[in-house]
Structures are given as structure tokens and as C-alpha cells.
Amino acid sequence: DQRHANGMVDQTRALFAGGYGGDNDAIDLVTIAQAGNTTDFGNLTEDKTNGGSCASSTRGIFAAGQVPTYVNTIEHITISTMGSAVNSGGDLTVARRSLGGASNSIRGIFFGGQSGPNNSDSDLTNVIDFITIATSANAIDFGDLAFSTNNGRINAMSGLPSATRVVMPGGDSFSSGSINTIQYVEIATTGNSIDFGNLATRGTSGVSGFSNGHG
């Protein structure tokens, strides 16, 4: 059993990596069109939980997380092959856990998260980073999360991507609990997030999500 793992897909395969429980560095694989148990794909470069992930149609990215210190490292896999992750040689701008991640086929976007150890609002970050998935380089500052009850400092968000836009619902802060804000960014640009609307029924954090806009 594992929790706070990372997931990603291409057109054929789904991968799950890290998390509490079992082997914290394990990467598991399923073929989406087939029913059956997961198989071993490989391993992350280190035991890791609460990271962020995204993928293009060829490469999967795992970024940041807790090991148990908070890290900003970026590692990658080639989804069509079996094998362990490789350190990409780049880092996010902020070491953090419980961040969100999403991508189109070119750019990966990572946002929010907890960057300090004291479980207070000042330990949360509103930073949005981006990477070019096919390259190995440091992330670049994209902008800030701009809509929330805590000046954009949020963790436990989700990212729903299309080819052009990432929509980011929910999340929480330590003072306000779960929030119902929905934000978005245009992937090809840089800048602060924009108000999209609100979740209809309640605030939520740690939410999972998906979209029909596969990279």
C-alpha cells in the first residue's frame, strides 16, 4: 500500500512512483488497455514522497518531494522503456513537498507546496516553475499563484492540463484549511495564475484530476 505517490501517463502506459509505504523509491507500471497487477518499472534515484510529476508522450518527470528533507531535484524516465529514473541535472527554484504538477507535450509546470518544516502558512510557497520536458536544465520562474485565502501560498493542489492551459483546483493552507478556488495559467506564456472560478460543492485538498488534453 502506498500514499502520496506520483502518477503519469502516455497513450499506453500509466506509472506510479514513490510515496509512503512499501518501497518508497519504486516505480510501478500498468498497461492501460489491459487488466492486471502492476509490474516493476524501475526505481527513483532516492526514497521519495509528496513530489510533483508530469509527462510528455515520451518522457516522465518527477520533481521535488521529501526524502525526508525537502528537495528540489528533477529526475526523469523514458516512459516506453523499463529502467530507473535519472537525475536530469536541473532543479526547481524552491525545495518543497506537496506541490502540484502538470504539462503539455513541451512544458512542465510545478506550483505551490510546502517549503518550510513548521506547518505554518509562512512555510508554504506560491511559486510556479516551468521546465522544458525534453531538456535537462534548471526550472525557470513562471510566476506566482495569485488567488487564495493566503496570498497564493497553497499546498496539496492538483493540475488539469490541456495542450494550452493548466487548471489548478483546490489545495489548502494551515490557517484556512481546504479551499475551493480554481486557478489557471496559459502554458506557453509566463505570469501569475488567473482566477478560473470555484469548486461548486466544497473546498478540497489533495484532489486528483485528469483532462482530455493529453500531450
Side-chain angles (χ1 to χ4, degrees):
D1 294 336
Q2 288 184 277
R3 58 191 177 95
H4 301 304
N6 292 122
M8 62 181 61
V9 297
D10 68 1
Q11 302 279 30
T12 307
R13 288 177 161 183
L15 301 173
F16 311 93
Y20 294 110
D23 296 324
N24 293 352
D25 66 345
I27 307 173
D28 293 328
L29 160 73
V30 295
T31 301
I32 297 171
Q34 299 174 353
N37 295 333
T38 61
T39 57
D40 180 44
F41 182 94
N43 298 96
L44 298 173
T45 61
E46 54 195 345
D47 287 354
K48 186 178 293 185
T49 185
N50 292 94
S53 59
C54 67
S56 69
S57 58
T58 57
R59 178 179 276 195
I61 302 291
F62 303 101
Q66 183 174 4
V67 296
T69 59
Y70 301 166
V71 297
N72 62 351
T73 51
I74 303 170
E75 49 191 301
H76 72 267
I77 56 167
T78 301
I79 298 175
S80 62
T81 65
M82 309 289 274
S84 294
V86 176
N87 191 302
S88 291
D91 298 314
L92 296 185
T93 64
V94 177
R96 47 189 149 154
R97 70 171 187 175
S98 303
L99 67 162
S103 66
N104 62 9
S105 61
I106 298 172
R107 275 186 173 184
I109 308 291
F110 297 97
F111 44 92
Q114 183 177 356
S115 57
N118 298 316
N119 294 339
S120 66
D121 286 352
S122 62
D123 290 324
L124 302 179
T125 181
N126 61 3
V127 168
I128 307 171
D129 288 341
F130 79 91
I131 61 169
T132 301
I133 296 174
T135 67
S136 298
N138 290 331
I140 299 171
D141 182 55
F142 185 98
D144 295 324
L145 297 170
F147 290 89
S148 82
T149 57
N150 188 36
N151 295 319
R153 295 180 179 272
I154 311 173
N155 76 150
M157 299 176 71
S158 180
L160 318 178
S162 74
T164 58
R165 177 179 286 189
V166 173
V167 177
M168 302 170 286
D172 67 33
S173 67
F174 292 107
S175 62
S176 302
S178 298
I179 63 173
N180 68 348
T181 300
I182 308 172
Q183 311 176 53
Y184 76 93
V185 294
E186 300 291 343
I187 298 174
T189 67
T190 58
N192 294 339
S193 65
I194 300 168
D195 184 27
F196 184 94
N198 294 306
L199 298 170
T201 57
R202 59 186 173 88
T204 186
S205 66
V207 62
S208 297
F210 56 90
S211 77
N212 66 352
H214 192 275

